[in-house]
Amino acid sequence: MSGEQKIEIKLQPGERIVWIEPGRPLREAFALAGWRLETPCGGLGTCGKCRVRISPRLEVTANEREILSAAEIMDGMRLACQVLVNQPLEVSLPVVTREVCRKIDVMDERIGELSVAGQGQGYGVALDLGTTTIAGSLVELHTGRRMALAAELNPQVIHGADVLSRLAFAMQGEAERRQLQREAVAAANVIIGRLIKMVGLDISAIKEGVVVGNTVMHHLMLGLDPVSLSQAPYRPLVSHSVWACAEELGFNLTPGTNLHFLPNIGGFVGGDAVAVLLATGLVDSAQVKLILDIGTNGEIMLGSTAGLWVCSTAAGPAFEGGRITHGMRAATGAIEKVRIIDDEVEIAVIGEGPACGICGSGLIQAVAELYRVGLVDKTGRLLEVDEVPAEIGVRSRLTVSEGEREFILVPAEMSAHGRAISITQQDIRELQLGKGAIRAGVETLLKELQTSEPEIAEVILTGTFGTYLDIPSTVRIGLIPPRFADRVTLVGNAALLGAEIALVSSEARVIADQIARKAKRIELANRADFTEFFINYLNFGV
């Protein structure tokens, strides 16, 4: 197995091997393997819940010296959130950590319940066509084991950040639709090329694939005319599952390789939502659960065995760093965490080097912290220096640039590019629009079902950055209803997990079709109550 681009991590118990990018926190290896280490401190290294034993031994951080005893350090104990992966490691969970580590390997659990397709030796590729990011994974077909993971920026963003912009471009003509298809396929080919290089395979090893995405992305990838999605009643041209020839679509796969597209539920609620429902098993739950798939196009799902209701809302690209002054994807150099402690601003940067910008999880935490310490009011207004009490030392970071108020996170001399990295008033407004849309969708579904608060047993957050969200921050800004704060679970990219399940289980594909037929789509457009909720929940802290 090639380790040129990623580093091998061996996890115990279970003899599991995962590959992770250099410079990433060790805890992400557990997430990739399907284990979630409970970290109430949000990965700051202060709770000590993510104790692991590693070999070889590495230098211990100051935070770890405060938490771990001298004997533990001598025994090779470390905190998984503090270890940055820069060399191959063998990692084992001590008993105390096993007791607080909750395994959420959804694919293993679901495949255990379903029948494996029995395709023999070979590999398959799963693709999640996000509006902003396209993610893919390589899966061993006869075991269901994820071998590698990769992602690329969706090149279609040059035509607009959201699905409505893509629709407008596609409707200009057949040439534009073909261009959008070529762009999506090209990105998928880059991902597939990276995946096989990571594992050291030939392209002929890939026998088939499963593709999921929202309805617009589904139509554009297949080269279908999406005009029916641009006007009421917003019906897809194709709702059922589709088998397509990869070669005919332009994929660089062996001739004869087929791709399975999961079915759409309706306009803007596509196969990615079906994949999330398949992965999380919501339709098999006796308890009512709420799922938020947070991205540029946000899907909201609510239900149990008694029924299933879904909706989609255009949250915009802010959650993935889009339309943010210094926004970027969650890549090396992105600020992913922000804490304001006394007079200091503490940041965590992916890769531990100097900051280049800020990704979605960092943006949410930064704005939540500004609101917590009183530099942003509940309406989202960034205050001026003379409006802030003198005892709040970080008020000195408030400034005005080109007529717009901003808060400096990283001074110019400390950034990677010599320019200050800040949160501007407009950035806060972009975040408000996104969180207002998601929250309004949640409240609309709850109203539709007339579901009382105690009946919601769990709130599941998923999406491309769902694993890295800070729950207190999402609650503080009102993205998640505060009344559900103690019921939140983070599961990462469940859409990709669902695609992987469908890749290795023929029974899962049948269930996916059943899910699509069972789900009741709630159309939010032109609903007065949705508009009212949206306006009300633009504010923070509600």
Side-chain angles (χ1 to χ4, degrees), residues 49 75-76 100 133 136 198 284 309 349 393 420 435 468 510:
K49 298 291 186 181
D75 192 36
V100 297
T133 304
M198 288 177 194
D284 300 323
W309 291 261
V349 178
K435 85 95 177 178
Y468 309 106
V510 174

Side-chain angles (χ1 to χ4, degrees), residues 237-260:
L237 194 63
V238 174
S239 293
H240 56 77
S241 57
V242 172
W243 280 101
C245 174
E247 184 182 20
E248 291 180 1
L249 293 180
F251 279 79
N252 297 332
L253 293 172
T254 304
T257 303
N258 289 321
L259 298 176
H260 184 78

Side-chain angles (χ1 to χ4, degrees), residues 313-341:
T313 181
F319 293 123
E320 298 184 68
R323 286 208 293 255
I324 303 301
T325 306
H326 297 282
M328 62 181 291
R329 290 175 56 237
T332 300
I335 298 171
E336 60 177 347
K337 296 178 185 175
V338 178
R339 288 289 300 275
I340 297 177
I341 302 176

Side-chain angles (χ1 to χ4, degrees), residues 413-450:
E413 63 274 14
M414 297 178 65
S415 74
H417 42 56
R419 300 185 300 276
I421 299 174
S422 63
I423 298 293
T424 71
Q425 180 65 76
Q426 184 57 38
D427 295 338
I428 297 172
R429 297 302 185 206
E430 290 288 344
L431 179 61
Q432 285 181 278
L433 291 173
K435 85 95 177 178
I438 293 289
R439 181 66 182 278
V442 169
E443 299 295 340
T444 302
L445 280 194
L446 292 174
K447 178 183 176 182
E448 183 76 15
L449 272 64
Q450 297 182 342

